[in-house]
Amino acid sequence: MLTTKNLPGSPIWLDLGSPDLPATVAFYTELFGWSHHTMEGADYGSFQQDGKTVAAVGKLTEEGAGPAWIVYFRSTDAHAGAKAVEQAGGAVRMVPQEIGPDGWIAQFSDPAGAQFAIWQPVGGSGLELVTEPGSLCWAELYTPSAEDARAFYRSVFDWSFEDMAMGGMNYTVVTPPGGGADDSMAGIVPMPGVPPHWLPYFEVRDCDAAVAKAQALGGAVALAAESVEGVGRFATLTDPHGVRFAVMTSSG
């Protein structure tokens, strides 16, 4: 279960690069009931749920890049992390940069092309709410080869993995180093033919209602809602700019 303990290697931040900030902010605030707070003098701001930061959004600035949610994993050393990514066959999209008093960030692509980032926090605390309605509850990697992905991310983050059968396929559950049975925070899905990407899941009180609302706001359904016993009901959606994300009503 995703928590705010911010263990090294676990999700600590989440942001979205948008080609149209007002439209993006309007969609997500209406869908999840978030409030939006812009940083002074910047095309970047946070989304909050009940006064707690749950995500961020900024103007898309990277030339040739498409809009997408980017998951940031906690790092204890951003420069060493960048070196580990390169040595494991990944690509550095943004070299480690200091972000004021909050630490260091860097952005990468894994060997299959899935984009992700790291944040080495100093003064920043990261996401303030997870697993509750309106916040990040899970992350999932879609990749051509789960075996190759495991080798790469183990080398970079020292993650541990556990396989489980789900819907006729082998699903890999990810736990950060030092985490216990309750600290799993992501999954790996072997999906040849689909562009490799990390998919954020947001907890909602009613999955089907969230799907209907997203469609009414101009979003679309990428994968229809389904239920998995002991897990919950979830669906994959796209926002009006085609950005993929998922909503989930967890069991229990």
Side-chain angles (χ1 to χ4, degrees):
M1 179 178 68
L2 191 61
T3 72
T4 55
K5 290 191 291 186
N6 290 335
L7 295 173
S10 63
I12 186 174
W13 194 249
L14 178 74
D15 67 16
L16 170 60
S18 169
D20 184 340
L21 271 177
T24 294
V25 168
F27 175 81
Y28 286 99
T29 54
E30 184 67 23
L31 177 60
F32 292 125
W34 289 343
S35 59
H36 176 249
H37 304 267
T38 302
M39 293 176 60
E40 186 175 352
D43 290 324
Y44 192 85
S46 65
F47 287 120
Q48 294 189 352
Q49 178 74 27
D50 300 326
K52 296 181 178 181
T53 301
V54 294
V57 63
K59 185 177 181 180
L60 190 63
T61 58
E62 185 179 351
E63 186 176 350
W69 282 105
I70 301 294
V71 180
Y72 290 68
F73 300 96
R74 185 183 175 188
S75 172
T76 56
D77 186 328
H79 291 85
K83 185 176 181 180
V85 167
E86 289 185 304
Q87 291 177 336
V92 177
R93 297 175 48 246
M94 185 183 79
V95 299
Q97 296 184 4
E98 192 171 12
I99 48 172
D102 295 327
W104 294 77
I105 62 171
Q107 296 187 353
F108 313 106
S109 296
D110 70 18
Q115 298 180 0
F116 68 102
I118 59 174
W119 177 14
Q120 176 192 342
V122 177
S125 60
L127 299 177
E128 296 174 333
L129 185 72
V130 297
T131 314
E132 299 294 331
S135 67
L136 183 71
C137 64
W138 193 250
E140 213 162 58
L141 173 64
Y142 286 76
T143 187
S145 169
E147 183 177 353
D148 290 346
R150 287 166 64 138
F152 171 80
Y153 287 100
R154 181 185 291 113
S155 178
V156 172
F157 292 118
D158 195 27
W159 287 346
S160 59
F161 307 97
E162 181 180 358
D163 291 332
M164 60 182 294
M166 183 179 293
M169 69 173 181
N170 192 53
Y171 187 88
T172 301
V173 176
V174 179
T175 303
D182 294 331
D183 294 313
S184 59
M185 45 74 176
I188 299 176
V189 182
M191 194 69 70
V194 173
H197 64 283
W198 277 97
L199 181 74
Y201 277 68
F202 297 101
E203 185 74 22
V204 293
R205 289 185 172 83
D206 185 326
C207 176
D208 295 287
V211 169
K213 191 168 188 178
Q215 290 176 292
L217 293 170
V221 177
L223 292 173
E226 62 175 306
S227 298
V228 173
E229 186 177 355
V231 175
R233 186 164 178 80
F234 49 88
T236 303
L237 308 173
T238 58
D239 71 14
H241 296 111
V243 177
R244 290 170 66 94
F245 66 101
V247 292
M248 180 171 181
T249 302
S250 299
S251 296

